Structure formats: structure tokens, C-alpha cells
Amino acid sequence: MGLVGKLEAEILILAPADKFHEVWGGRPHHMSSVSPGKVQKVDLHEGDWGNVGSVIEWSYVIEK
């Protein structure tokens, strides 16, 4: 059973905005490499990476 809802957080990102947007929008599967302590894995279930309407599953840690 999965958990469904909305999550908001503020995170300090030490990268230029264009690089962040490139990874977040086009290569979200790289987020686990960027922040391994928070994001364990990102799986694609439907569609293509970086395309609108794709179904992506994020596995992450809220508190440690």
C-alpha cells in the first residue's frame, strides 16, 4: 500500500538554476546520485524520462 499526498520542503541547493532544472526536469533518475542521503531511488513506471505525463516513483527519507 502506497502513501498518497503532498509534500513540501525547503532545501539548500548549491548549483546554478539551469543545472538544477536540467536534472530535475530532464533526468530525475540522477537525483539519487545528487542526494543519496535523502533520495534512495527514482523509478520510471510509464512514459519517458523528462516528458510530461510520465509516471515516476520516488523513494526518499523524510527524517533521519
Side-chain angles (χ1 to χ4, degrees), residues 19-57:
K19 293 293 183 186
F20 172 76
H21 185 265
E22 178 185 334
V23 172
W24 187 262
R27 297 180 287 146
H29 54 289
H30 287 207
M31 289 302 290
S32 59
S33 299
V34 174
S35 182
K38 299 292 182 190
V39 179
Q40 275 102 30
K41 66 178 183 169
V42 182
D43 293 324
L44 178 68
H45 289 278
E46 291 179 20
D48 295 314
W49 291 112
N51 289 341
V52 174
S54 297
V55 178
I56 301 172
E57 176 186 359

Side-chain angles (χ1 to χ4, degrees), residues 9-13 38:
E10 288 187 26
I11 300 170
L12 177 63
I13 299 171
K38 299 292 182 190

Side-chain angles (χ1 to χ4, degrees), residues 3 16 40 61:
L3 196 58
Q40 275 102 30
V61 175

